[in-house]
Amino acid sequence: MFKICPNCGAHNTATAKFCTRCGTSLAGVVATAETAVQSAQPTSENEASTANTAAVSEQSSVPSSLTSSSAQNQPVTPQQAQSQVTPPDNSQQQVPPQPASTQTQSQQTAQGPAPTAQPYQQADQTQQQAQTPPEEPNPTVEATKKYAGSYWRYLVDSIKHPATVTRPYHQYFGLTSLAITIVSLALTIVLMTGSAVSSLPGAIASNVLITFLKLVFLVAVLMIAVVAVYYLVVNGMLGDRRRSFLTFTTEYAFHCNWMVFFSVFTLLMQMLGMINIGSIFLIWLLLSLGSGLFVISGTYMLFTAQSTNRFDKIYAYLIVGILLVIVFLIIMTFGLSSILGGIGQGINDFGRSFNF
């Protein structure tokens, strides 16, 4: 037994209340016995509707008398039973209730993702954070660390073997050594004179400090000028053009890097308050050794140069001495006059403070 849907012609079970294909109510549909005609039922919806229409037209074309007589003798076919059943009004049909699973899915769709999806989202975020590469270090800081480490190796090599340059170094290491020496000496002088002139009036104390700073600046210019003179003689007169000025300065400072340690040691003694009569003698001794190494380094660079034009190195050394005297006079002429003027102004201010 089965029920035929009046809307689409689908076969449903005898106990079905709604069509499994289109959902039409089967409340008024009579169950029909299974016959061989079932195998001949159209497979598609359009063929089923065509067969039903043909059956209804044939039944209407037969006379009523023949129909009544044949109806008593012939069995009722499924098509005839379907044509005799009046389909219910579609306007009065009720929409079948949706299953609970369908309602739950629609509610979840309207309300958004379920709360159980949050752990998965958190897991995805954690995985993305784990896959995010770490922040790259600051290139400036890393370059500074690398430069400092290489410079320390440069200092250690120069202390072990000051006469032999065994490897190429950074071209700015020589200027770095000169800068450390000059700055350390300047700070030492400022600390020494600062404690000495602290009892003087403010104008006099500042004038004294400015005078000492000018002297340090002159010393720095003089050191650079000495290196430049040796470079010009080695490069121009002897024809040793293997190095640039910065590389030449780096090798020059390599031979006299003891002055870096002497100047830093002097500054530390001043900062720790270890300066007394005995330590002053030690400081002047260290400074004298540093200055002597600086002069000896230039001479060593001159006599170890590779001469390509057969110019005698003794004559080159004499020319270096003459040029250094000229440079010294020029620097002192312009710089020493400023320093002496500052010292004279300080003496006048000091005399005025005592009403001289």
Side-chain angles (χ1 to χ4, degrees), residues 12-44:
N12 300 276
T13 59
T15 59
K17 298 181 179 180
F18 299 94
C19 179
T20 57
R21 178 182 295 179
C22 63
T24 303
S25 178
L26 303 177
V29 178
V30 179
T32 306
E34 295 183 0
T35 59
V37 182
Q38 182 177 359
S39 60
Q41 183 181 358
T43 58
S44 64

PDB file of all heavy atoms in Angstrom, residues 12-44:
ATOM      1  N   ASN A  12       4.386   7.549  -1.769  1.00  0.00           N
ATOM      2  CA  ASN A  12       4.755   7.632  -0.359  1.00  0.00           C
ATOM      3  C   ASN A  12       4.194   6.426   0.366  1.00  0.00           C
ATOM      4  O   ASN A  12       3.293   5.739  -0.122  1.00  0.00           O
ATOM      5  CB  ASN A  12       4.222   8.917   0.287  1.00  0.00           C
ATOM      6  CG  ASN A  12       4.768  10.164  -0.409  1.00  0.00           C
ATOM      7  OD1 ASN A  12       5.850  10.620  -0.114  1.00  0.00           O
ATOM      8  ND2 ASN A  12       3.983  10.704  -1.365  1.00  0.00           N
ATOM      9  N   THR A  13       4.701   6.157   1.559  1.00  0.00           N
ATOM     10  CA  THR A  13       4.208   5.026   2.345  1.00  0.00           C
ATOM     11  C   THR A  13       2.780   5.283   2.782  1.00  0.00           C
ATOM     12  O   THR A  13       2.295   6.423   2.770  1.00  0.00           O
ATOM     13  CB  THR A  13       5.094   4.804   3.571  1.00  0.00           C
ATOM     14  OG1 THR A  13       5.094   5.992   4.372  1.00  0.00           O
ATOM     15  CG2 THR A  13       6.536   4.491   3.163  1.00  0.00           C
ATOM     16  N   ALA A  14       2.097   4.184   3.177  1.00  0.00           N
ATOM     17  CA  ALA A  14       0.678   4.304   3.543  1.00  0.00           C
ATOM     18  C   ALA A  14       0.497   5.144   4.785  1.00  0.00           C
ATOM     19  O   ALA A  14      -0.583   5.734   4.994  1.00  0.00           O
ATOM     20  CB  ALA A  14       0.083   2.902   3.733  1.00  0.00           C
ATOM     21  N   THR A  15       1.488   5.221   5.663  1.00  0.00           N
ATOM     22  CA  THR A  15       1.346   5.981   6.908  1.00  0.00           C
ATOM     23  C   THR A  15       1.897   7.393   6.801  1.00  0.00           C
ATOM     24  O   THR A  15       1.921   8.141   7.785  1.00  0.00           O
ATOM     25  CB  THR A  15       2.070   5.236   8.033  1.00  0.00           C
ATOM     26  OG1 THR A  15       3.456   5.090   7.682  1.00  0.00           O
ATOM     27  CG2 THR A  15       1.452   3.871   8.277  1.00  0.00           C
ATOM     28  N   ALA A  16       2.389   7.786   5.626  1.00  0.00           N
ATOM     29  CA  ALA A  16       2.973   9.123   5.463  1.00  0.00           C
ATOM     30  C   ALA A  16       1.909  10.190   5.537  1.00  0.00           C
ATOM     31  O   ALA A  16       0.823  10.026   4.964  1.00  0.00           O
ATOM     32  CB  ALA A  16       3.717   9.206   4.133  1.00  0.00           C
ATOM     33  N   LYS A  17       2.158  11.260   6.244  1.00  0.00           N
ATOM     34  CA  LYS A  17       1.237  12.394   6.348  1.00  0.00           C
ATOM     35  C   LYS A  17       1.621  13.529   5.416  1.00  0.00           C
ATOM     36  O   LYS A  17       0.781  14.357   5.092  1.00  0.00           O
ATOM     37  CB  LYS A  17       1.193  12.904   7.789  1.00  0.00           C
ATOM     38  CG  LYS A  17       0.670  11.865   8.774  1.00  0.00           C
ATOM     39  CD  LYS A  17       0.628  12.439  10.181  1.00  0.00           C
ATOM     40  CE  LYS A  17       0.078  11.420  11.177  1.00  0.00           C
ATOM     41  NZ  LYS A  17       0.027  11.943  12.559  1.00  0.00           N
ATOM     42  N   PHE A  18       2.856  13.560   4.998  1.00  0.00           N
ATOM     43  CA  PHE A  18       3.323  14.599   4.072  1.00  0.00           C
ATOM     44  C   PHE A  18       4.162  13.940   2.995  1.00  0.00           C
ATOM     45  O   PHE A  18       4.804  12.899   3.218  1.00  0.00           O
ATOM     46  CB  PHE A  18       4.168  15.664   4.791  1.00  0.00           C
ATOM     47  CG  PHE A  18       3.405  16.396   5.860  1.00  0.00           C
ATOM     48  CD1 PHE A  18       3.451  15.971   7.177  1.00  0.00           C
ATOM     49  CD2 PHE A  18       2.636  17.524   5.550  1.00  0.00           C
ATOM     50  CE1 PHE A  18       2.774  16.644   8.161  1.00  0.00           C
ATOM     51  CE2 PHE A  18       1.957  18.196   6.548  1.00  0.00           C
ATOM     52  CZ  PHE A  18       2.011  17.760   7.854  1.00  0.00           C
ATOM     53  N   CYS A  19       4.165  14.544   1.838  1.00  0.00           N
ATOM     54  CA  CYS A  19       4.935  14.026   0.714  1.00  0.00           C
ATOM     55  C   CYS A  19       6.420  14.213   0.993  1.00  0.00           C
ATOM     56  O   CYS A  19       6.865  15.286   1.424  1.00  0.00           O
ATOM     57  CB  CYS A  19       4.537  14.740  -0.576  1.00  0.00           C
ATOM     58  SG  CYS A  19       5.475  14.172  -2.020  1.00  0.00           S
ATOM     59  N   THR A  20       7.164  13.143   0.738  1.00  0.00           N
ATOM     60  CA  THR A  20       8.607  13.206   1.001  1.00  0.00           C
ATOM     61  C   THR A  20       9.351  13.995  -0.059  1.00  0.00           C
ATOM     62  O   THR A  20      10.515  14.365   0.138  1.00  0.00           O
ATOM     63  CB  THR A  20       9.163  11.783   1.043  1.00  0.00           C
ATOM     64  OG1 THR A  20       8.862  11.136  -0.209  1.00  0.00           O
ATOM     65  CG2 THR A  20       8.572  10.989   2.186  1.00  0.00           C
ATOM     66  N   ARG A  21       8.672  14.286  -1.205  1.00  0.00           N
ATOM     67  CA  ARG A  21       9.343  15.040  -2.266  1.00  0.00           C
ATOM     68  C   ARG A  21       9.033  16.529  -2.185  1.00  0.00           C
ATOM     69  O   ARG A  21       9.958  17.351  -2.201  1.00  0.00           O
ATOM     70  CB  ARG A  21       8.921  14.503  -3.635  1.00  0.00           C
ATOM     71  CG  ARG A  21       9.553  15.274  -4.804  1.00  0.00           C
ATOM     72  CD  ARG A  21       9.084  14.770  -6.145  1.00  0.00           C
ATOM     73  NE  ARG A  21       9.526  13.385  -6.383  1.00  0.00           N
ATOM     74  CZ  ARG A  21       9.232  12.708  -7.469  1.00  0.00           C
ATOM     75  NH1 ARG A  21       8.488  13.257  -8.436  1.00  0.00           N
ATOM     76  NH2 ARG A  21       9.662  11.465  -7.623  1.00  0.00           N
ATOM     77  N   CYS A  22       7.759  16.888  -2.078  1.00  0.00           N
ATOM     78  CA  CYS A  22       7.412  18.311  -2.121  1.00  0.00           C
ATOM     79  C   CYS A  22       6.815  18.808  -0.821  1.00  0.00           C
ATOM     80  O   CYS A  22       6.580  20.005  -0.664  1.00  0.00           O
ATOM     81  CB  CYS A  22       6.441  18.590  -3.272  1.00  0.00           C
ATOM     82  SG  CYS A  22       4.858  17.740  -3.093  1.00  0.00           S
ATOM     83  N   GLY A  23       6.511  17.912   0.156  1.00  0.00           N
ATOM     84  CA  GLY A  23       5.985  18.335   1.448  1.00  0.00           C
ATOM     85  C   GLY A  23       4.491  18.588   1.478  1.00  0.00           C
ATOM     86  O   GLY A  23       3.974  19.115   2.460  1.00  0.00           O
ATOM     87  N   THR A  24       3.751  18.189   0.423  1.00  0.00           N
ATOM     88  CA  THR A  24       2.290  18.407   0.392  1.00  0.00           C
ATOM     89  C   THR A  24       1.608  17.473   1.392  1.00  0.00           C
ATOM     90  O   THR A  24       2.019  16.327   1.573  1.00  0.00           O
ATOM     91  CB  THR A  24       1.748  18.136  -1.015  1.00  0.00           C
ATOM     92  OG1 THR A  24       2.454  18.988  -1.933  1.00  0.00           O
ATOM     93  CG2 THR A  24       0.252  18.418  -1.086  1.00  0.00           C
ATOM     94  N   SER A  25       0.567  17.973   2.043  1.00  0.00           N
ATOM     95  CA  SER A  25      -0.164  17.176   3.029  1.00  0.00           C
ATOM     96  C   SER A  25      -0.879  16.002   2.344  1.00  0.00           C
ATOM     97  O   SER A  25      -1.518  16.160   1.293  1.00  0.00           O
ATOM     98  CB  SER A  25      -1.170  18.047   3.771  1.00  0.00           C
ATOM     99  OG  SER A  25      -1.905  17.275   4.682  1.00  0.00           O
ATOM    100  N   LEU A  26      -0.796  14.824   2.925  1.00  0.00           N
ATOM    101  CA  LEU A  26      -1.441  13.613   2.391  1.00  0.00           C
ATOM    102  C   LEU A  26      -2.578  13.155   3.284  1.00  0.00           C
ATOM    103  O   LEU A  26      -2.914  11.978   3.337  1.00  0.00           O
ATOM    104  CB  LEU A  26      -0.403  12.491   2.251  1.00  0.00           C
ATOM    105  CG  LEU A  26       0.816  12.791   1.372  1.00  0.00           C
ATOM    106  CD1 LEU A  26       1.781  11.611   1.383  1.00  0.00           C
ATOM    107  CD2 LEU A  26       0.384  13.101  -0.056  1.00  0.00           C
ATOM    108  N   ALA A  27      -3.176  14.122   4.028  1.00  0.00           N
ATOM    109  CA  ALA A  27      -4.234  13.739   4.976  1.00  0.00           C
ATOM    110  C   ALA A  27      -5.467  13.170   4.252  1.00  0.00           C
ATOM    111  O   ALA A  27      -6.094  12.201   4.686  1.00  0.00           O
ATOM    112  CB  ALA A  27      -4.644  14.945   5.820  1.00  0.00           C
ATOM    113  N   GLY A  28      -5.856  13.742   3.100  1.00  0.00           N
ATOM    114  CA  GLY A  28      -7.066  13.261   2.402  1.00  0.00           C
ATOM    115  C   GLY A  28      -6.800  12.272   1.306  1.00  0.00           C
ATOM    116  O   GLY A  28      -7.691  11.961   0.522  1.00  0.00           O
ATOM    117  N   VAL A  29      -5.590  11.769   1.189  1.00  0.00           N
ATOM    118  CA  VAL A  29      -5.247  10.849   0.100  1.00  0.00           C
ATOM    119  C   VAL A  29      -5.463   9.416   0.578  1.00  0.00           C
ATOM    120  O   VAL A  29      -5.036   9.051   1.687  1.00  0.00           O
ATOM    121  CB  VAL A  29      -3.783  11.054  -0.339  1.00  0.00           C
ATOM    122  CG1 VAL A  29      -3.409  10.056  -1.439  1.00  0.00           C
ATOM    123  CG2 VAL A  29      -3.578  12.478  -0.820  1.00  0.00           C
ATOM    124  N   VAL A  30      -6.126   8.595  -0.279  1.00  0.00           N
ATOM    125  CA  VAL A  30      -6.423   7.209   0.063  1.00  0.00           C
ATOM    126  C   VAL A  30      -5.264   6.333  -0.378  1.00  0.00           C
ATOM    127  O   VAL A  30      -4.741   6.499  -1.486  1.00  0.00           O
ATOM    128  CB  VAL A  30      -7.723   6.738  -0.626  1.00  0.00           C
ATOM    129  CG1 VAL A  30      -8.015   5.288  -0.277  1.00  0.00           C
ATOM    130  CG2 VAL A  30      -8.877   7.642  -0.196  1.00  0.00           C
ATOM    131  N   ALA A  31      -4.893   5.413   0.469  1.00  0.00           N
ATOM    132  CA  ALA A  31      -3.809   4.505   0.136  1.00  0.00           C
ATOM    133  C   ALA A  31      -4.242   3.553  -0.959  1.00  0.00           C
ATOM    134  O   ALA A  31      -5.378   3.048  -0.967  1.00  0.00           O
ATOM    135  CB  ALA A  31      -3.382   3.713   1.370  1.00  0.00           C
ATOM    136  N   THR A  32      -3.393   3.277  -1.902  1.00  0.00           N
ATOM    137  CA  THR A  32      -3.678   2.445  -3.061  1.00  0.00           C
ATOM    138  C   THR A  32      -2.826   1.189  -2.989  1.00  0.00           C
ATOM    139  O   THR A  32      -1.660   1.241  -2.574  1.00  0.00           O
ATOM    140  CB  THR A  32      -3.387   3.201  -4.361  1.00  0.00           C
ATOM    141  OG1 THR A  32      -4.108   4.431  -4.327  1.00  0.00           O
ATOM    142  CG2 THR A  32      -3.805   2.385  -5.564  1.00  0.00           C
ATOM    143  N   ALA A  33      -3.453   0.043  -3.431  1.00  0.00           N
ATOM    144  CA  ALA A  33      -2.724  -1.223  -3.389  1.00  0.00           C
ATOM    145  C   ALA A  33      -1.650  -1.245  -4.458  1.00  0.00           C
ATOM    146  O   ALA A  33      -1.819  -0.674  -5.540  1.00  0.00           O
ATOM    147  CB  ALA A  33      -3.696  -2.383  -3.568  1.00  0.00           C
ATOM    148  N   GLU A  34      -0.573  -1.971  -4.193  1.00  0.00           N
ATOM    149  CA  GLU A  34       0.525  -2.078  -5.147  1.00  0.00           C
ATOM    150  C   GLU A  34       0.123  -3.064  -6.237  1.00  0.00           C
ATOM    151  O   GLU A  34      -0.357  -4.148  -5.975  1.00  0.00           O
ATOM    152  CB  GLU A  34       1.789  -2.569  -4.451  1.00  0.00           C
ATOM    153  CG  GLU A  34       2.314  -1.591  -3.427  1.00  0.00           C
ATOM    154  CD  GLU A  34       3.602  -2.088  -2.804  1.00  0.00           C
ATOM    155  OE1 GLU A  34       4.057  -3.178  -3.177  1.00  0.00           O
ATOM    156  OE2 GLU A  34       4.159  -1.351  -1.957  1.00  0.00           O
ATOM    157  N   THR A  35       0.301  -2.685  -7.482  1.00  0.00           N
ATOM    158  CA  THR A  35       0.002  -3.531  -8.639  1.00  0.00           C
ATOM    159  C   THR A  35       1.155  -3.473  -9.599  1.00  0.00           C
ATOM    160  O   THR A  35       2.147  -2.752  -9.398  1.00  0.00           O
ATOM    161  CB  THR A  35      -1.293  -3.062  -9.344  1.00  0.00           C
ATOM    162  OG1 THR A  35      -1.096  -1.689  -9.752  1.00  0.00           O
ATOM    163  CG2 THR A  35      -2.476  -3.133  -8.392  1.00  0.00           C
ATOM    164  N   ALA A  36       0.999  -4.187 -10.644  1.00  0.00           N
ATOM    165  CA  ALA A  36       2.047  -4.228 -11.667  1.00  0.00           C
ATOM    166  C   ALA A  36       2.168  -2.924 -12.393  1.00  0.00           C
ATOM    167  O   ALA A  36       3.155  -2.665 -13.080  1.00  0.00           O
ATOM    168  CB  ALA A  36       1.769  -5.353 -12.658  1.00  0.00           C
ATOM    169  N   VAL A  37       1.098  -2.115 -12.258  1.00  0.00           N
ATOM    170  CA  VAL A  37       1.134  -0.835 -12.970  1.00  0.00           C
ATOM    171  C   VAL A  37       2.240   0.047 -12.400  1.00  0.00           C
ATOM    172  O   VAL A  37       2.712   0.973 -13.034  1.00  0.00           O
ATOM    173  CB  VAL A  37      -0.246  -0.158 -12.864  1.00  0.00           C
ATOM    174  CG1 VAL A  37      -0.279   1.157 -13.622  1.00  0.00           C
ATOM    175  CG2 VAL A  37      -1.301  -1.111 -13.395  1.00  0.00           C
ATOM    176  N   GLN A  38       2.668  -0.236 -11.157  1.00  0.00           N
ATOM    177  CA  GLN A  38       3.672   0.592 -10.482  1.00  0.00           C
ATOM    178  C   GLN A  38       4.965   0.623 -11.279  1.00  0.00           C
ATOM    179  O   GLN A  38       5.652   1.622 -11.318  1.00  0.00           O
ATOM    180  CB  GLN A  38       3.942   0.024  -9.082  1.00  0.00           C
ATOM    181  CG  GLN A  38       4.944   0.857  -8.290  1.00  0.00           C
ATOM    182  CD  GLN A  38       5.123   0.296  -6.894  1.00  0.00           C
ATOM    183  OE1 GLN A  38       4.480  -0.701  -6.553  1.00  0.00           O
ATOM    184  NE2 GLN A  38       5.958   0.948  -6.114  1.00  0.00           N
ATOM    185  N   SER A  39       5.295  -0.549 -11.915  1.00  0.00           N
ATOM    186  CA  SER A  39       6.529  -0.582 -12.688  1.00  0.00           C
ATOM    187  C   SER A  39       6.461   0.291 -13.906  1.00  0.00           C
ATOM    188  O   SER A  39       7.473   0.707 -14.442  1.00  0.00           O
ATOM    189  CB  SER A  39       6.845  -2.022 -13.109  1.00  0.00           C
ATOM    190  OG  SER A  39       5.787  -2.522 -13.902  1.00  0.00           O
ATOM    191  N   ALA A  40       5.230   0.557 -14.351  1.00  0.00           N
ATOM    192  CA  ALA A  40       5.067   1.393 -15.537  1.00  0.00           C
ATOM    193  C   ALA A  40       4.901   2.850 -15.201  1.00  0.00           C
ATOM    194  O   ALA A  40       4.606   3.661 -16.069  1.00  0.00           O
ATOM    195  CB  ALA A  40       3.865   0.896 -16.355  1.00  0.00           C
ATOM    196  N   GLN A  41       4.996   3.190 -13.916  1.00  0.00           N
ATOM    197  CA  GLN A  41       4.818   4.592 -13.497  1.00  0.00           C
ATOM    198  C   GLN A  41       5.925   5.436 -14.091  1.00  0.00           C
ATOM    199  O   GLN A  41       7.083   5.020 -14.138  1.00  0.00           O
ATOM    200  CB  GLN A  41       4.852   4.676 -11.974  1.00  0.00           C
ATOM    201  CG  GLN A  41       4.605   6.093 -11.479  1.00  0.00           C
ATOM    202  CD  GLN A  41       4.659   6.144  -9.953  1.00  0.00           C
ATOM    203  OE1 GLN A  41       4.852   5.102  -9.353  1.00  0.00           O
ATOM    204  NE2 GLN A  41       4.463   7.319  -9.400  1.00  0.00           N
ATOM    205  N   PRO A  42       5.657   6.603 -14.532  1.00  0.00           N
ATOM    206  CA  PRO A  42       6.697   7.472 -15.145  1.00  0.00           C
ATOM    207  C   PRO A  42       7.763   7.798 -14.108  1.00  0.00           C
ATOM    208  O   PRO A  42       7.491   7.941 -12.931  1.00  0.00           O
ATOM    209  CB  PRO A  42       5.926   8.720 -15.588  1.00  0.00           C
ATOM    210  CG  PRO A  42       4.503   8.296 -15.675  1.00  0.00           C
ATOM    211  CD  PRO A  42       4.322   7.221 -14.648  1.00  0.00           C
ATOM    212  N   THR A  43       8.934   7.888 -14.589  1.00  0.00           N
ATOM    213  CA  THR A  43      10.070   8.173 -13.706  1.00  0.00           C
ATOM    214  C   THR A  43      10.228   9.644 -13.444  1.00  0.00           C
ATOM    215  O   THR A  43      10.839  10.022 -12.449  1.00  0.00           O
ATOM    216  CB  THR A  43      11.348   7.621 -14.331  1.00  0.00           C
ATOM    217  OG1 THR A  43      11.527   8.218 -15.621  1.00  0.00           O
ATOM    218  CG2 THR A  43      11.301   6.114 -14.440  1.00  0.00           C
ATOM    219  N   SER A  44       9.723  10.442 -14.248  1.00  0.00           N
ATOM    220  CA  SER A  44       9.880  11.896 -14.072  1.00  0.00           C
ATOM    221  C   SER A  44       8.556  12.526 -13.745  1.00  0.00           C
ATOM    222  O   SER A  44       7.491  11.963 -13.988  1.00  0.00           O
ATOM    223  CB  SER A  44      10.465  12.524 -15.341  1.00  0.00           C
ATOM    224  OG  SER A  44       9.562  12.374 -16.403  1.00  0.00           O
TER     225      SER A  44
END
